[in-house]
Amino acid sequence: MPDAPYLIAAVTVSAAVTWALRAVPFAALAPLRSSKTIEYLSSRMPAGVMVILLVYCLRDLPLTASRALAPLVALTVTVGLHLWRRNALLSILGGTAVHVLLASMIFVL
């Protein structure tokens, strides 16, 4: 069994490292808040992330297979809802619901 001072030192070092790992990002981001680059990225990244997710999810989808119907219809619904309402949450939830319904119906048939 380790000595009490060793255990106290181990707990102290662990607490200090944990605190530092949680505090450093906030301290590092403070000067970046007024940066033009960060402002540009914050306006462009959401669309970029969606495009990357779209390519990743549909990259292996065979367009001639019947299982391609659910993702393609869900994609169409998602884009349509977003163009109509300009609400990301509504678009994502609507597209997900359509995909789940169609995917479950295709596998039942």
Side-chain angles (χ1 to χ4, degrees):
M1 178 90 178
D3 295 15
Y6 175 79
L7 291 176
I8 291 171
V11 169
T12 303
V13 168
S14 298
V17 168
T18 300
W19 182 85
L21 287 174
R22 292 177 185 230
V24 166
F26 291 103
L29 287 178
L32 294 176
R33 297 208 191 277
S34 61
S35 169
K36 295 288 184 189
T37 304
I38 298 299
E39 185 178 322
Y40 174 78
L41 288 175
S42 68
S43 68
R44 301 289 190 245
M45 282 303 290
V49 169
M50 289 297 144
V51 168
I52 291 169
L53 286 172
L54 173 73
V55 170
Y56 177 78
C57 291
L58 299 179
R59 74 182 190 281
D60 293 329
L61 188 67
L63 297 178
T64 58
S66 64
R67 66 183 180 98
L69 181 64
L72 294 176
V73 171
L75 174 64
T76 305
V77 168
T78 303
V79 169
L81 279 173
H82 191 71
L83 292 175
W84 177 46
R85 301 300 291 191
R86 300 279 184 205
N87 185 334
L89 182 61
L90 176 66
S91 305
I92 293 168
L93 289 177
T96 302
V98 167
H99 183 269
V100 168
L101 288 172
L102 289 176
S104 63
M105 287 173 42
I106 289 172
F107 288 118
V108 170
L109 296 176

